[in-house]
Amino acid sequence: MVKTRQLHHVLRLLLVFLCMNLIWYVAFLLMHHPILPSPLEVYEAMFQLGGQAVALNVGYSLMRIGAGVLFALILGLLIGLLMGRSQTWNKLLDPVVYLTYPVPKIALLPVVMLFFGLGETSKILMIMLILLFQVIISVRDGVKAIPASTYDVLTSIGAGTAQKFWHVTLPGALSVILSTIRISLGSAISVLFFTEIYGTEHGMGFFIMDAWLRLDYPEMYAGIMLFSLVGFVLFLLVDLLDYTFMKWRN
């Protein structure tokens, strides 16, 4: 049954992908302009890209996203758990979170680059900032939503603090974390594109802008397709983690 659902899901994705390419081809025929090459031209340019260059640029982008997400998860989980399990800490940190969360993080890019330079630190920090506050709020709300009776049951059978955390608190927090990452991953990838325009010679953002400046439109669109593929693979990875660790929800 599960395999049948997965097959149907894959088939739906393929159908949507073909429809998108069909719409793209129709737009190409209607515009008939170099700024919009045909899908075949773009895929040909994609396959002509050197494997080493693609691996280098994709690798740098994945490294920055992975580091940013990891730091956001570590800090967000710690702060969110602290706020969710302690009324005192929640009262102290809640105003800080709510005052800083609405600040548009992309507007902080010039500030971050002034303080941390144009290197890897500023790029990773921007991705972390995009995710951090959403993780904090999601984890806090997820932990606070766990009924107190759940902990009482474990206490009655002699479970310790570590066991309560492992069997109740962490699964409740992990559920909302995965949902938060799935929602905010697109924003993180968008910010990564902007950060990779400055102070670097590697990354998909740099690759796309370099092709644009050279007026190599097929290669530019090929870079966009590869960047989209990176995002799609990350989404699949989150779905895989959800399926692996959240089986109790089914």
Side-chain angles (χ1 to χ4, degrees), residues 79-81 83-85 90 94 98 133-146 172-173 176:
I79 297 173
L81 287 173
M83 294 176 68
R85 295 293 294 159
N90 186 54
D94 190 67
Y98 273 89
F133 293 96
Q134 299 182 52
V135 172
I136 291 173
I137 293 174
S138 297
V139 171
R140 185 204 61 183
D141 293 346
V143 171
K144 290 176 69 175
I146 298 174
V176 293

Side-chain angles (χ1 to χ4, degrees), residues 224-244:
I224 294 173
M225 293 288 290
L226 285 172
F227 209 9
S228 302
L229 182 61
V230 169
F232 179 69
V233 170
L234 291 175
F235 268 80
L236 289 181
L237 180 59
V238 175
D239 285 342
L240 179 61
L241 291 173
D242 190 290
Y243 176 77
T244 302

Side-chain angles (χ1 to χ4, degrees), residues 20-38:
M20 291 173 64
N21 278 271
L22 179 60
I23 295 171
W24 179 1
Y25 186 70
V26 172
F28 159 73
L29 293 177
L30 293 174
M31 286 190 63
H32 196 63
H33 195 280
I35 63 172
L36 183 64
S38 72

Side-chain angles (χ1 to χ4, degrees), residues 8-223:
H8 287 167
H9 183 61
V10 171
L11 291 176
R12 286 197 301 271
L13 289 175
L14 288 175
L15 180 61
V16 172
F17 179 72
L18 291 174
C19 291
M20 291 173 64
N21 278 271
L22 179 60
I23 295 171
W24 179 1
Y25 186 70
V26 172
F28 159 73
L29 293 177
L30 293 174
M31 286 190 63
H32 196 63
H33 195 280
I35 63 172
L36 183 64
S38 72
L40 293 177
E41 289 180 84
V42 173
Y43 292 130
E44 183 179 355
M46 186 185 300
F47 287 115
Q48 287 177 352
L49 296 174
Q52 184 176 358
V54 170
L56 185 65
N57 287 299
V58 171
Y60 266 89
S61 293
L62 284 174
M63 180 272 294
R64 290 159 183 157
I65 294 174
V69 170
L70 180 62
F71 289 135
L73 287 178
I74 293 173
L75 287 176
L77 183 61
L78 291 175
I79 297 173
L81 287 173
L82 193 63
M83 294 176 68
R85 295 293 294 159
S86 170
Q87 287 292 336
T88 303
W89 279 106
N90 186 54
K91 289 179 181 179
L92 288 172
L93 296 176
D94 190 67
V96 178
V97 172
Y98 273 89
L99 284 173
T100 53
Y101 178 67
V103 176
K105 306 306 179 291
I106 190 64
L108 296 177
L109 179 59
V111 179
V112 171
M113 287 185 170
L114 282 174
F115 278 91
F116 298 96
L118 302 179
E120 299 300 323
T121 302
S122 61
K123 295 172 176 57
I124 294 172
L125 186 58
M126 281 303 302
I127 296 173
M128 186 193 77
L129 287 174
I130 289 290
L131 295 170
L132 178 61
F133 293 96
Q134 299 182 52
V135 172
I136 291 173
I137 293 174
S138 297
V139 171
R140 185 204 61 183
D141 293 346
V143 171
K144 290 176 69 175
I146 298 174
S149 59
T150 306
Y151 294 102
D152 294 337
V153 171
L154 291 178
T155 302
S156 66
I157 60 175
T161 303
Q163 291 172 312
K164 293 177 185 178
F165 173 80
W166 183 257
H167 293 289
V168 178
T169 308
L170 186 59
L174 187 59
S175 174
V176 293
I177 284 175
L178 291 174
S179 298
T180 300
I181 292 176
R182 189 181 289 108
I183 293 170
S184 55
L185 199 55
S187 301
I189 294 173
S190 300
V191 170
L192 176 67
F193 173 80
F194 284 104
T195 61
E196 288 184 335
I197 296 175
Y198 306 100
T200 184
E201 295 182 354
H202 303 295
M204 292 309 302
F206 169 81
F207 180 87
I208 293 168
M209 292 303 296
D210 179 64
W212 176 64
L213 292 172
R214 291 185 286 104
L215 303 181
D216 190 341
Y217 297 119
E219 188 170 299
M220 180 190 76
Y221 282 97

